[in-house]
Structures are given as C-alpha cells and as structure tokens.
Amino acid sequence: MKRILLLLLIASCAFSCVNPAAEQEAANKDSIVLNEPSPEATSDFRTLDTSLSFAGLWVNETYIDNIRKTRSPRQSQDVMESCITIPSRTLQVTRMVEGFHEGAEDVVVVKDRNSYKLYDANLNTLQKELGLISPTRLKIGDQFFSRISHHDTTLTDLGILEELLFSGRYELENGKEVIFTSDGRIQGLDGFERYDPLIDYTTSPLGNFDLVNMGPGKGKDYGYRFKGDTLQIFGTICATPGEDSNFCDSLVQGTMLYKLVRKQ
C-alpha cells in the first residue's frame, strides 16, 4: 500500500512541474516557426536587391510583327514602347525606349513576393506590372515583349535587326555563299567584316529602302531592300544635302551592288 501511495505522489509531483502556460507557449512557438514567411516576403520589396532570371533585351512584339510583315525598319518604327533592357538585378535603373529614338523616364524593377513590377527611380510610384509568361516572353503593362537572344550593348540598335531581319545564309548570283550572323558579322562578301542596320529614322523620308552600315572599320552606309527571298544592297546618292556637309536630308538609290538570295 505504501508503495502505491509513493508512486502516486511521484506522478503527482511530475505532473505539477509541467506549466500549462509554458506548454501552450511552446506549441504556439512551434506553430509560428512552421508558418513564418520567408525573410524575403516580410522585407520591404523596395529595398530587396536580388537577381533577375529574365535579364536581357526585350522587344515589343508589335514591332516584331511589323518587321516580319514589311521587312523594313523604316516602316515599322512607330511603336512607342519599342524595347527595354531588363537589368541583372532588381533596383537597377533602366528605361523603356520610345520609337527606338529616345528613352522614357528612369525606372527600376522590384520583386514583391512572387511578382515583379516597374517603379519610378525614387521607388515611390508603380509604373507597370510585369508578367513573366515564359523565358522568352514578357508582359509589361498591356504590351507583350520577346527577348532577343544575341545582343551587343555597344551597338546602336543592340542587335535587334541583326537577329530579326538579316541573320542567315545567302547566295550571290555567282553561287558564292554569304553569311550574316545574328551578332553583326559578315562572312564571304568582298572583304566586309561587319554590318549594322539603322533602326532609328529621324530624317526626311528616304526612297523605298533602308540603310545598313557595312565595313571593315567604320564602314559606310548602303541602301538595302528585301524583295521576297532576295536581299538587294546598293549605293546611295544624296538628293538633298543638309546644312552640315557631312549630313544629307534625303537619299535616293544608287548603283546596285549585290543581290543575295536567302537560303536559310
């Protein structure tokens, strides 16, 4: 009997040592830890510096559609939200390019939990919502953009027309192969090493053609036109000289130099 009473006394003491409040607090603590949001989610998104998986040059799909239809940048450039370079990290300043001519106001990309947004450079005002549809497609506001694969930020047009319009294998009338690469190089065309098609036309209307600078070195401007599968390249003649002797207000087509048939 005494042994039974002793066991009951020990059990009673052990039970009285457990603080119900402390036990509840521990349970609550465990619950909080399990459901606690990540530090990234609780921090102010306007101070979150993180990498962006979709960094790169993005071009408005309306412009891309126009280029494929007209095959002329001069006829396709009137797209106000032309392109934007998304930086490698949030909070870095960038800007939308308007009409391939001038930049809009400075903006930064921010990450708010699992969504992305464009804010003004002072991080005060939301400018646009960003929706990453796929690794190569992005929605900015109500416009859709596609990512350019090969672009060189040292070039005036960032490689847009090289990739969208020119790149491929061609054949001259004598059967010789010529290659225009998507990063602005030429192979097999009379010593020409590089090309840079003009994307921004701000002067008076030209003839029914566009311009491409080809060289080695600084090179010079030539006229070009796509007709079906054929790329025509020709010299130009200044029809209306500008006030500056190095500038021409309008050009007309000169001597035909090359006819290249696209093979691939």
Side-chain angles (χ1 to χ4, degrees), residues 155-203:
L155 297 178
T156 303
D157 64 3
L158 302 176
I160 294 171
L161 294 176
E162 288 87 336
E163 181 171 326
L164 297 179
L165 188 59
F166 275 85
S167 65
R169 296 177 179 272
Y170 299 79
E171 188 177 279
L172 288 168
E173 292 175 293
N174 62 8
K176 183 180 180 182
E177 183 181 68
V178 176
I179 299 174
F180 287 82
T181 69
S182 57
D183 61 356
R185 292 177 291 113
I186 305 175
Q187 300 172 18
L189 189 64
D190 292 343
F192 289 108
E193 297 174 357
R194 47 155 295 277
Y195 73 103
D196 182 9
L198 182 65
I199 200 169
D200 177 21
Y201 292 83
T202 57
T203 59

Side-chain angles (χ1 to χ4, degrees), residues 35-230:
N35 296 287
E36 186 177 9
S38 66
E40 181 177 292
T42 57
S43 64
D44 185 350
F45 64 86
R46 287 168 295 189
T47 63
L48 177 61
D49 178 8
T50 188
S51 62
L52 294 171
S53 63
F54 54 99
L57 176 62
W58 295 82
V59 179
N60 195 308
E61 290 184 356
T62 299
Y63 178 79
I64 295 174
D65 291 342
N66 290 346
I67 280 292
R68 288 172 176 165
K69 183 185 300 181
T70 67
R71 308 183 80 180
S72 165
R74 181 175 52 84
Q75 297 178 47
S76 305
Q77 69 178 10
D78 294 330
V79 177
M80 287 310 296
E81 295 182 344
S82 306
C83 65
I84 185 171
T85 299
I86 300 295
S88 59
R89 303 189 68 82
T90 58
L91 308 182
Q92 295 181 351
V93 172
T94 187
R95 60 195 58 83
M96 185 72 72
V97 177
E98 299 182 348
F100 293 105
H101 179 58
E102 57 186 14
E105 63 180 300
D106 290 347
V107 292
V108 296
V109 181
V110 300
K111 183 179 181 182
D112 185 3
R113 295 179 173 84
N114 293 323
S115 65
Y116 298 93
K117 303 172 183 178
L118 282 179
Y119 266 71
D120 70 303
N122 295 321
L123 294 167
N124 293 323
T125 307
L126 173 66
Q127 301 294 313
K128 302 276 187 181
E129 297 278 354
L130 299 185
L132 186 60
I133 300 171
S134 76
T136 59
R137 196 163 192 240
L138 178 68
K139 185 178 183 183
I140 304 177
D142 60 355
Q143 300 291 306
F144 292 90
F145 293 74
S146 289
R147 178 153 56 179
I148 295 296
S149 300
H150 306 92
H151 70 278
D152 182 351
T153 55
T154 65
L155 297 178
T156 303
D157 64 3
L158 302 176
I160 294 171
L161 294 176
E162 288 87 336
E163 181 171 326
L164 297 179
L165 188 59
F166 275 85
S167 65
R169 296 177 179 272
Y170 299 79
E171 188 177 279
L172 288 168
E173 292 175 293
N174 62 8
K176 183 180 180 182
E177 183 181 68
V178 176
I179 299 174
F180 287 82
T181 69
S182 57
D183 61 356
R185 292 177 291 113
I186 305 175
Q187 300 172 18
L189 189 64
D190 292 343
F192 289 108
E193 297 174 357
R194 47 155 295 277
Y195 73 103
D196 182 9
L198 182 65
I199 200 169
D200 177 21
Y201 292 83
T202 57
T203 59
S204 302
L206 306 169
N208 184 27
F209 59 87
D210 296 90
L211 294 174
V212 58
N213 184 278
M214 300 195 306
K218 184 178 180 180
K220 61 179 291 187
D221 290 341
Y222 296 87
Y224 74 90
R225 181 190 302 113
F226 281 91
K227 294 190 69 174
D229 291 334
T230 301

